[in-house]
Amino acid sequence: MWAVLPGELALAVCLVAGVRIPGAVLLGAEALVVGVLALEVCVMWPLYAARRRAGDRRREAALSAVRAVVPVAVRRLLVHEFRALHSLGLWVLRRRHRIPEGARPFSYTEPQTGIMWTFVFVSVVETVVLALVIPWPLVHAILLVVDVYGIVIVLALQAACVTRPHLVEADGSLRLRYGALFDLRAPAAVIAAARVDRRFPGGGLVRVDGDGTLDLAVGSQTTVTVELTEPVEFVRPLGRRGSARTLRFHADDPRAAVAALTKDAKDAKDAEDRTAPSPLTPERTAPAALTPERTAPSSTPDPPA
């Protein structure tokens, strides 16, 4: 289905643009789309019915059927897009997404802000140029909608990064985020050390080495390295799972982030030391009796005659 829908969209654009397409091609394409949709319904309905018989509600059964049919990557992309649009609303209202009380946020958008605004500028210029070049009103309207939506998505991606910063929470745990695409939590108990460490790793947004090192790069750079005592689990943007024992990420103020992590680790250690029982001391022996036994008082001498 996900391969047929783009072809159907391209066919519709050709028709709107005035491209003459043979009737047999149109009939075959429509028959293919109808067949794929019928196949999807035939596959999803038994799954839905089975979940209903198992006692699930209608919404739960429908979601279970969709999860079984729709690929994980497609579901996550749709969820990311909705979350990004929600973040755009938060950005307009100058609010942030779920920052608990006592948590300290650390932004990471500085290396990519200029690139994002460049994308927005280029998209606006492209929209204006296409409006002047394309003579067909309907095609112009379709491309205008597509271009405007693309601009909104770029702004939403930037807004998601602004409204979802990294967090060092009140208990010393670390939460790494990249917009609505990535979210990792490292409990305070597994954080061994943190340091300022500027690196320029290759690859995409999330990269994991064979030794369990996670690079969450922004603008192809990381500025903080966190060593863990044990691996933590995470989910990649498209649904694959992984684990990492060393975390490298970017923070606009890496020294403040490292100071917050090390201070919380020190405070947690001090609290643990205060609550730990004191070392055993030798037993105190009972004080010795002043005298082993009482003796009769001596008689006073008689006065002289």
Side-chain angles (χ1 to χ4, degrees):
M1 178 179 179
W2 309 108
V4 172
L5 289 181
E8 181 72 8
L9 180 60
L11 188 62
V13 172
C14 290
L15 289 174
V16 172
V19 178
R20 300 192 63 178
I21 300 176
V25 175
L26 287 175
L27 182 61
E30 296 304 323
L32 180 62
V33 172
V34 172
V36 170
L37 291 177
L39 180 61
E40 292 285 342
V41 172
C42 292
V43 171
M44 293 180 64
W45 178 254
L47 298 173
Y48 173 81
R51 298 309 306 172
R52 288 287 290 164
R53 287 194 298 269
D56 290 352
R57 297 180 179 178
R58 292 181 179 179
R59 182 175 181 274
E60 296 172 351
L63 290 176
S64 177
V66 170
R67 281 193 289 265
V69 175
V70 181
V72 177
V74 175
R75 296 201 313 266
R76 289 187 66 86
L77 285 175
L78 291 175
V79 170
H80 295 333
E81 192 165 328
F82 284 121
R83 288 176 178 174
L85 294 174
H86 174 256
S87 300
L88 186 59
L90 294 177
W91 193 29
V92 171
L93 297 175
R94 297 181 179 275
R95 298 173 58 186
R96 288 183 173 180
H97 182 266
R98 295 183 182 178
I99 297 183
E101 184 178 356
R104 280 157 290 182
F106 296 96
S107 62
Y108 51 84
T109 57
E110 184 177 331
Q112 71 178 22
T113 301
I115 299 174
M116 289 295 188
W117 286 116
T118 302
F119 282 160
V120 171
F121 175 75
V122 171
S123 299
V124 171
V125 172
E126 178 190 13
T127 303
V128 174
V129 171
L130 290 178
L132 297 175
V133 172
I134 297 178
W136 305 289
L138 186 55
V139 177
H140 171 259
I142 294 174
L143 292 180
L144 178 63
V145 172
V146 173
D147 287 339
V148 170
Y149 185 72
I151 295 172
V152 171
I153 288 299
V154 173
L155 291 174
L157 291 175
Q158 177 68 4
C161 293
V162 172
T163 58
R164 287 173 163 85
H166 300 318
L167 298 176
V168 177
E169 300 190 3
D171 61 351
S173 60
L174 174 64
R175 185 177 183 183
L176 297 182
R177 301 193 282 189
Y178 183 83
L181 295 173
F182 186 82
D183 195 339
L184 178 149
R185 295 175 183 267
V190 303
I191 297 177
R195 64 182 183 275
V196 177
D197 184 17
R198 187 176 297 274
R199 293 173 179 264
F200 299 90
L205 172 66
V206 179
R207 187 174 68 91
V208 182
D209 294 338
D211 59 352
T213 299
L214 168 70
D215 290 318
L216 181 62
V218 179
S220 300
Q221 63 176 302
T222 62
T223 54
V224 178
T225 298
V226 177
E227 303 285 347
L228 306 178
T229 58
E230 62 184 57
V232 293
E233 303 290 329
F234 64 89
V235 180
R236 294 173 180 266
L238 294 183
R240 292 176 56 193
R241 294 186 174 273
S243 62
R245 190 161 184 167
T246 301
L247 308 177
R248 296 174 183 161
F249 61 95
H250 175 78
D252 293 341
D253 190 352
R255 296 185 184 278
V258 170
L261 287 168
T262 54
K263 178 180 181 300
D264 287 341
K266 182 177 182 298
D267 291 344
K269 185 176 184 303
D270 291 343
E272 183 180 352
D273 292 341
R274 285 195 298 268
T275 56
S278 58
L280 295 177
T281 56
E283 294 184 356
R284 292 184 178 180
T285 57
L290 295 178
T291 56
E293 59 179 4
R294 293 187 177 181
T295 57
S298 59
S299 59
T300 56
D302 294 336

